[in-house]
Amino acid sequence: MEIVATGVEVIGAHGTLLAPTSLRARTGQVLLVTGDPNSGRTALALALSGRLRPTRGAVRLDGAIDATALRRSVAVVDAPQITEPDDALAVRDVVAEGLSLAGRRSGRRRVRDWLSARDWLPEGAGEQRFEHLAGYERTRLLTELACEGRATKALVLDCPDRHGGDPAGWYSLAARQAERGLAVIALCSPHSADKLGISPARVGADNPEQSTLDSAEGLR
């Protein structure tokens, strides 16, 4: 699978939300994309997943412009105020909601088994509030839930570094999903890319074709 954004620009009621951006992501690869906080990272995530129509430019999935196919195939992980869970929810409720949205069974026993299979210990961890999860655990849980969708072929991680911690942690999660056969795009700050030692694509730029997966083998 291949996602290609060509000159994607989003203009809002009060000005530019996303400057023209071009990039390419493929199955089995991680593409790191950086931008400053007000550069339109979430707008890019939504455009790449068919959830926001670009004002100019286009996003193609395997050569076709098809927003419905993008929405079905591309999951946006933890987009601020859009797909991020309510902090006050218990972890088990976040899991139940995620499984339900993915078309999976989401009863109490299923949720308990799902958490247990992923070593979410100690017992009772599912009762804690979602906001109390460390950044790495939060991203791990939401990424795993996004992969529950049977049609999911690509992930867009929306700024996992905003929760703090070592960026090598969430990058390792992205790399793991790429190795499982997904295309993964990870949006983050320039500072996080510097810490990872990776040359990223950039929001608001015509980016040369690149994958960052092989350049960070030592991070996993």
Side-chain angles (χ1 to χ4, degrees):
M1 188 197 72
E2 181 179 71
I3 300 170
V4 178
T6 306
V8 171
E9 182 178 12
V10 178
I11 307 296
H14 303 290
T16 300
L17 298 179
L18 173 66
T21 302
S22 298
L23 55 80
R24 184 188 305 264
R26 290 194 177 104
T27 294
Q29 297 180 344
V30 179
L31 179 66
L32 198 68
V33 184
T34 66
D36 293 324
N38 296 317
S39 63
R41 294 177 299 193
T42 295
L44 178 60
L46 298 178
L48 291 173
S49 62
R51 291 166 174 83
L52 178 63
R53 184 177 180 178
T55 307
R56 300 186 184 89
V59 179
R60 290 177 169 82
L61 177 64
D62 293 331
I65 298 177
D66 188 337
T68 300
L70 278 171
R71 287 193 297 272
R72 185 171 56 247
S73 302
V74 184
V76 179
V77 179
D78 205 20
Q81 301 181 20
I82 298 172
T83 64
E84 67 177 353
D86 187 325
D87 282 342
L89 290 175
V91 169
R92 59 175 169 76
D93 293 330
V94 172
V95 172
E97 182 179 17
L99 291 175
S100 179
L101 290 172
R104 306 285 188 174
R105 292 184 294 110
S106 57
R108 279 184 172 271
R109 181 173 180 178
R110 168 59 175 152
V111 169
R112 185 174 62 252
D113 291 346
W114 192 92
L115 288 167
S116 177
R118 287 154 183 80
D119 298 323
W120 224 274
L121 301 174
E123 184 69 23
E127 302 301 320
Q128 68 178 303
R129 287 167 63 105
F130 183 70
E131 65 183 337
H132 294 155
L133 291 182
Y136 172 82
E137 295 298 341
R138 173 191 178 107
T139 302
R140 180 166 76 97
L141 183 142
L142 295 179
T143 298
E144 290 288 344
L145 284 173
C147 293
E148 288 289 340
R150 293 179 175 85
T152 301
K153 298 180 180 178
L155 301 175
V156 181
L157 276 59
D158 193 351
C159 305
D161 53 341
R162 73 184 190 274
H163 303 298
D166 187 342
W170 55 257
Y171 188 87
S172 70
L173 297 173
R176 192 178 310 158
Q177 297 304 328
E179 290 170 350
R180 290 175 55 186
L182 298 181
V184 183
I185 299 167
L187 303 168
C188 69
S189 70
H191 177 68
S192 292
D194 289 343
K195 288 191 69 174
L196 289 168
I198 292 172
S199 177
R202 299 186 183 278
V203 176
D206 183 4
N207 295 286
E209 183 175 333
Q210 67 185 110
S211 164
T212 60
L213 179 61
D214 294 337
S215 63
E217 287 293 331
L219 295 174
R220 296 195 299 279

